[in-house]
Amino acid sequence: MPAPSSMHGKAALITGAAAGLGRATALTLARAGADVCLVDINAGALEKTAQECRDIGVHALAYATDLSSADNCRAAVTAALESCGRLDALCNIAAVFIPCHSAEMNDIQWEKTLAVNLSAPFYLIQAALPQLLANKGAVVNVTSCAAHMGQAYLAGYTASKAALTHLTKSLAMEYMHQGIRFNCVAPGGMMTELAQGFRNLRNPDPELLKRYSPLRGLVEIEHVAEMVAFLATDAAAGYHGAVINIDNGITAG
Ligand SMILES: NC(=O)c1ccc[n+]([C@@H]2O[C@H](COP(=O)([O-])OP(=O)(O)OC[C@H]3O[C@@H](n4cnc5c(N)ncnc54)[C@H](O)[C@@H]3O)[C@@H](O)[C@H]2O)c1
């Protein structure tokens, strides 16, 4: 958990903040004193998170947009800067998750998966770079244990998360000599709306699902949020190009 007031005087943009891990991360950063710009496609739930942050005592902007467009990503960063006056951390947490038989995945599903999970973090980083470089800020990209193992019925999702991992590491290399930091957090299964995507999967082979089911159970959302928020703070100065697995051992073997 970041120390209270460790983000005092700083501002963070958090995507996916309407629900699940994004919401928990927004609240954790707000408790650490950060002003927050919250971005999500779900306007109603996003405003609720923003109000929860304001109740903690920080400035919070709810910026509802669809991150599958590059222009919308750039506009979100502009809005964050206008509202908060600065940007010190970018937490890319929004994602889409469409379990399906690969032969049946349509173009829209495939393109949406890559647009939100991979392209949006890139466009947001690109737009935020001048501020993050000037402030020696931090980018935290949320990937998944799915970035490190093949998972049946999740070809698009696993490919997007593996690519996001390498995007993070490549940026860590490219900006090695500046103070900005790039890291990933790779969670295992958490009890959020996203995981309910499996409900729509028709006739899966249970043997294949078992291969990536957690033997130790799900990961607590709060524990992952604390790691994402920690990596956004100066206390994580030694972390650069890291991938932190929080998956209850799924990727252990
Ligand atoms: N829940 C899990 O089991 C699990 C496991 C591993 C990794 N993750 C990762 O954790 C992160 C958070 O997921 P979560 O479990 O909190 O899911 P969630 O569904 O609760 O939250 C995802 C958020 O992203 C938003 N979003 C989706 N499409 C968007 C778009 N086009 N534009 C803007 N916002 C959009 C949704 O509205 C939602 O609020 C994701 O990156 C996910 O891949 C989740």
Side-chain angles (χ1 to χ4, degrees):
M1 171 80 85
S5 88
S6 58
M7 289 293 285
H8 187 71
K10 298 193 173 188
L13 190 161
I14 301 128
T15 73
L21 179 61
R23 173 182 166 273
T25 301
L27 294 173
T28 305
L29 283 168
R31 282 191 288 268
D35 290 335
V36 289
C37 172
L38 310 179
V39 181
D40 203 288
I41 200 167
N42 182 344
L46 188 66
E47 178 50 37
K48 281 191 189 141
T49 308
Q51 191 52 51
E52 289 179 282
C53 291
R54 290 180 203 118
D55 292 344
I56 291 169
V58 299
H59 171 77
L61 170 72
Y63 187 83
T65 195
D66 181 350
L67 289 169
S68 63
S69 138
D71 285 344
N72 290 353
C73 293
R74 292 188 269 265
V77 172
T78 303
L81 281 171
E82 280 171 10
S83 179
C84 297
R86 59 181 294 140
L87 200 52
D88 301 275
L90 167 61
C91 302
N92 284 308
I93 303 180
V96 296
F97 177 78
I98 308 174
C100 62
H101 296 264
S102 290
E104 294 166 7
M105 190 171 204
N106 65 41
D107 300 4
I108 293 170
Q109 292 170 321
W110 173 263
E111 280 155 23
K112 191 89 169 171
T113 301
L114 292 183
V116 178
N117 298 6
L118 175 62
S119 301
F122 179 73
Y123 292 129
L124 288 159
I125 290 166
Q126 219 182 24
L129 255 179
Q131 273 286 315
L132 296 177
L133 284 168
N135 297 340
K136 299 197 187 322
V139 174
V140 186
N141 292 326
V142 172
T143 60
S144 168
C145 60
H148 310 300
M149 59 202 296
Q151 297 189 340
Y153 315 116
L154 288 173
Y157 180 77
T158 57
S160 72
K161 293 298 191 178
L164 183 58
T165 307
H166 277 266
L167 173 72
T168 312
K169 285 170 165 269
S170 294
L171 290 170
M173 289 307 298
E174 187 172 339
Y175 291 94
M176 190 62 80
H177 296 308
Q178 281 100 321
I180 188 172
R181 294 180 298 103
F182 293 90
N183 292 294
C184 286
V185 173
M190 298 177 286
M191 186 58 80
T192 66
E193 187 56 35
L194 181 132
Q196 305 307 314
F198 279 115
R199 280 181 309 208
N200 303 322
L201 181 57
R202 195 182 42 76
N203 295 329
D205 177 340
E207 281 294 308
L208 300 182
L209 291 182
K210 237 186 341 191
R211 293 292 299 267
Y212 56 91
S213 301
L215 295 172
R216 275 193 177 203
L218 297 172
V219 179
E220 293 295 330
I221 300 169
E222 298 301 330
H223 294 168
V224 181
E226 284 167 16
M227 178 53 73
V228 176
F230 166 71
L231 289 171
T233 70
D234 291 343
Y239 292 78
H240 184 54
V243 180
I244 313 292
N245 297 325
I246 310 184
D247 63 12
N248 256 339
I250 290 184
T251 49

